Amino acid sequence: MFSLGLTSLLVRRNLLFVLMSLEVMLNAAGLAFVVAGSRWQQADGQVVFLFILAVAAAEVAVGLALVFQIYRHFGSLDVDKLGEMRG
Amino acid sequence: MEPVFYIAGAVAVISTALMLTRLNVVHALLYLIVSFLGIAVDFFVLGAPFVAALEVIVYAGAIMVLFVFAGMMFNLGQQSVETERQWLTPGIWIGPVLLAGVLFAEVVYLLEGSAAYTGAVAVGPKEVGMVLFGPYVIGVELASMLLLAGVVGAYHLGFLKIVTPETQHDTDTDERRTDTGGDLVLAGADEPARTA
Amino acid sequence: MAGVGSIGLSALAAILVAAGFLGATPASAAYTEVLWTWIDVAGFKPQIAFYLDAMSLVMILVVTCVGFLIHIYAAEFMAEDEGFTRYFGYMNLFVASMITLLLANNLLLLMLGWEGVGLCSFLLVGFWYREPANGAAARKAFILTRVGDTAMLIGLYLLFTRLGTLQIQDLMQRASEQWQPGSAYAVAAAFLLLGGAVGKSAQLPLQVWLPDAMAGPTPTSALLHAATMVTAGVYLIARTHVLFSLAPAAQTAVGIIGAATLLLAGFSALTQHDIKRVLAYSTMSQIGYMFLALGVGAWQAAMFHFMTHAFFKALLFLGAGVIINAVDEEHSMFRVGGLRKELPVAFWTFLIAGCSLAGLPFITAGFFSKDLIIWNAWSAPNGHPGFWIAGMAGAFLTSLYTFRLIFRVFFGPLGIPVTKRPGYAMTVPLVLLAFLSVVGGYLKRPLLGFLNSVLPPTIEAHAGGLTEGSSQAVAAVLFLVGLYFAYLFHLQKRGLADVLVANSTGRVFDRWWFTGWGFDWIYDKAFVQPFVWISQINKGDFIDSFYTGVARLSEVLYRGLSATETGRVRWYMAAMAAGAVLFVAVVLFL
């Protein structure tokens, strides 16, 4: 899952897709944690997943707000274009 | 229970893969939601019902909904599909696939030696709660602060608009020009007025 | 006239010192005057100290007095030259270095003087630097003497590491205590010092620079390359004679080198056209005599010959300067002629000096000194009939080429008319030196006795059929024979000489001896050309390329690194991902 997320992160140029792949990666990491916790039969894995969840939520909120601003400002969601343009 | 785990896992992986390759944003989002649901089932099978529920409610329910709203708001129609098709040339996949493949191989190598999954006992919400209020209480506090920061930031960013009238450039994807006169324009307020 | 006056003062000082020395000779027959300690490192403690004994006294007297006369001459000779002050600066520096060399207490200070005279030789030979040939001649002189100097330095190093001191008297003492005669160290050290002496004194195999050094002004040729600098090698060997006595192989080598050089130079002098080159080869030959004397152990005879040679050779050179000046810078003896009536003072003094050089019996100094050497070559403990024969043959050749020169230049029809006549500043030294060339011979007994305190006297080991008288008789006969042949070929029937040369074998010998037995050609092929070839293929300087390689490497790295700064977000993400993957791999597998 993580690899898939990494791949798509590198490939896609649309900003939204970038964010989505980030979510995928986070999720995959969380999955790994939960599996570990289940393996050792402790609650720790789930706790960490909870934190990851919180972080992802905050990040998505702020990130999407930023995306709106970028769109308004630059008029495009192309990551490469954003890199080249000067504000 | 085991086959359920594998099936759900396969569903998650396949739908993630499909998500990556979609041209339409909304389609991709929907696939992502399916992927998350599959992950939630996996969690349940692993004996973590609490996080399974959380995954569905918070991740798929809240975060992905936000994404869906954003995607809808941008109102990216056929034009963007064309653009995406342009952008996603086959050649572009090679490098990242290679990189990710190496990573995958490493992880597999790492996990090879470890014992097989047992997953008999379920760790219920009660245990999680006790741990949260006990050793991890500081984490809880920090998470709450983080969420607060997120709320404030999102509100702030969404509210104010950066006024730089002289630097609006032409883009090849969207030939729009925004003439921003005022400074307090709500995000997305004039969205419907824009053409795709 | 400060330049001349300073030498005059030092001549005066030398005379006064001599008087004091002779009047009240100290017990150990030597004064040492320590000025200060030069270096003091880990037991290596050479001082700036002067050592005066009979031998160095004789030599500094000759150097300063003859030098004084030459400076007076030079004051008129160089009067119209634009580098007048520069000339006297160099000449004075030379005399100072020479005196340092002669009075040095230790070999390191001697080396200082040695290098100083080498430097001044370079400066003076290339004095008229605007002419490229002069610069080349100066460089040749310097490089060749440098080769000798290197050998000498290695010798000094050897002496120091084995014997622990460079102070000459201590050195001689320790050498005779610690080293057996014929020991490897003694022989090696002696050979190395011999290498240095050979370079400075223009003997085989480093003799090729002296004829070319005639490119310098004539007073320089008189002072450096006749009387003083070229005898520095003789002085060195005489000073370290104990070492050479301990190394019979080296001493024999000295003798052989002397004999070979005197013959080689004699033959070459016979074919030269340029007046000064004849005199240069003649100097080479006479120093060969001195080396021969040193080689057979006739130390005192060598010193005696040095003194007389300084007188008559300086006179010959100064006379040559007068001639060259008078006939408008013409150097070839075949183009001038008949100057006997035009330049009378020059003629008579030149004649006297020439007779002294060739060894006119009983009246001239040269006869006594040269004859003493030849006699010792037979009779001394290290003497050998071969040396005697070489010495006699050399005497014959000397007579022949000297009178060839005199007859061609001064007799016969007038060649080039005389435009300038010398003034008093040039003629008075000539006369004085002529006087010395005659009476110097009578100083033989007192001089040899005087030198007894420093140099061991030569005993007559094996007379075996010859006496000194009979040896002298043979020499006298050879002198006359040479005179006759010179008269025949160069005065009476001048065409005869041309016929001899035109003959095919005659031509071969003529060419061969003219170029100094082809040594220049050998050295050019063996050393100069390979060296030039090597420096040409190393034009890119492969050692330097190591450093430029470093610079180029950093340039390549810079280009490579600056290419990674693209400014594209996805590129950076990819880079980060790659880095993370790499990191995981490193942690996993290492």
Side-chain angles (χ1 to χ4, degrees), chain B residues 116-131:
Chain B
Y117 147 79
T118 49
V121 179
V123 179
K126 190 162 161 222
E127 287 94 350
V128 177
M130 287 212 321
V131 172

Side-chain angles (χ1 to χ4, degrees), chain C residues 495-574:
Chain C
L496 219 56
D498 299 329
V499 167
L500 252 186
V501 171
N503 176 21
S504 56
T505 39
R507 211 188 0 229
V508 165
F509 278 113
D510 184 53
R511 282 274 97 205
W512 187 32
W513 291 339
F514 182 75
T515 57
W517 293 55
F519 269 92
D520 272 323
W521 182 87
I522 295 175
Y523 286 150
D524 185 48
K525 286 278 173 297
F527 294 113
V528 175
Q529 296 209 349
F531 182 75
V532 169
W533 179 75
I534 289 176
S535 59
Q536 290 236 327
I537 54 177
N538 195 29
K539 245 199 253 187
D541 198 1
F542 75 99
I543 292 183
D544 205 30
S545 67
F546 177 68
Y547 296 104
T548 54
V550 169
R552 248 186 281 135
L553 181 69
S554 50
E555 222 181 314
V556 163
L557 281 177
Y558 154 72
R559 281 225 189 83
L561 281 175
S562 64
T564 59
E565 267 186 59
T566 54
R568 293 192 347 240
V569 181
R570 289 199 299 149
W571 169 261
Y572 289 151
M573 286 197 292

Side-chain angles (χ1 to χ4, degrees), chain B residues 102-114, chain C residues 588:
Chain B
V102 171
L103 190 60
F104 180 62
E106 283 170 355
V107 174
V108 166
Y109 174 78
L110 258 180
L111 294 177
E112 233 171 13
S114 50
Chain C
L588 268 186

Side-chain angles (χ1 to χ4, degrees), chain C residues 111-314:
Chain C
M111 195 73 197
L112 178 71
W114 190 274
E115 301 280 357
V117 299
L119 171 70
C120 293
S121 172
F122 171 76
L123 290 171
L124 285 166
V125 168
F127 183 72
W128 290 313
Y129 56 86
R130 296 224 161 81
E131 197 68 36
N134 297 347
R139 271 202 303 280
K140 186 171 174 180
F142 192 75
I143 291 173
L144 280 163
T145 49
R146 238 305 165 248
V147 172
D149 293 348
T150 311
M152 189 162 143
L153 269 174
I154 298 175
L156 288 193
Y157 176 72
L158 181 67
L159 284 171
F160 180 70
T161 49
R162 299 257 50 119
L163 295 176
T165 178
L166 283 178
Q167 219 249 18
I168 299 180
Q169 303 308 315
D170 283 348
L171 199 62
M172 295 298 114
Q173 181 123 13
R174 289 188 205 185
S176 52
E177 282 165 13
Q178 291 181 17
W179 289 345
Q180 297 302 315
S183 85
Y185 288 125
V187 171
F191 264 108
L192 287 167
L193 288 180
L194 175 63
V198 157
K200 195 64 88 181
S201 296
Q203 300 292 291
L204 272 166
L206 294 173
Q207 86 283 12
V208 292
W209 63 269
L210 191 57
D212 288 337
M214 295 299 113
T218 309
T220 302
S221 306
L223 186 57
L224 270 71
H225 306 126
T228 45
M229 188 182 95
V230 291
T231 55
V234 177
Y235 173 74
L236 178 67
I237 297 180
R239 253 288 171 245
T240 54
H241 70 270
V242 172
L243 187 63
F244 279 87
S245 305
L246 287 172
Q251 200 172 2
T252 318
V254 173
I256 294 176
I257 287 176
T261 309
L262 77 90
L263 286 175
L264 184 157
F267 281 117
S268 292
L270 214 43
T271 57
Q272 297 299 316
H273 300 186
D274 185 334
I275 300 175
K276 282 178 74 175
R277 280 179 90 100
V278 173
L279 295 176
Y281 278 108
S282 169
T283 306
M284 212 191 281
S285 181
Q286 296 304 307
I287 298 179
Y289 271 103
M290 293 182 221
F291 266 60
L292 179 60
L294 293 171
V296 299
W299 319 106
Q300 298 175 349
M303 280 292 118
F304 184 37
H305 194 57
F306 152 72
M307 191 178 81
T308 59
H309 176 261
F311 297 147
F312 60 69
K313 195 45 74 60

Side-chain angles (χ1 to χ4, degrees), chain A residues 42-61:
Chain A
Q42 288 173 336
D44 294 337
Q46 300 185 35
V47 168
V48 173
F49 183 79
L50 198 63
F51 291 142
I52 291 177
L53 208 54
V55 166
E59 173 237 330
V60 165

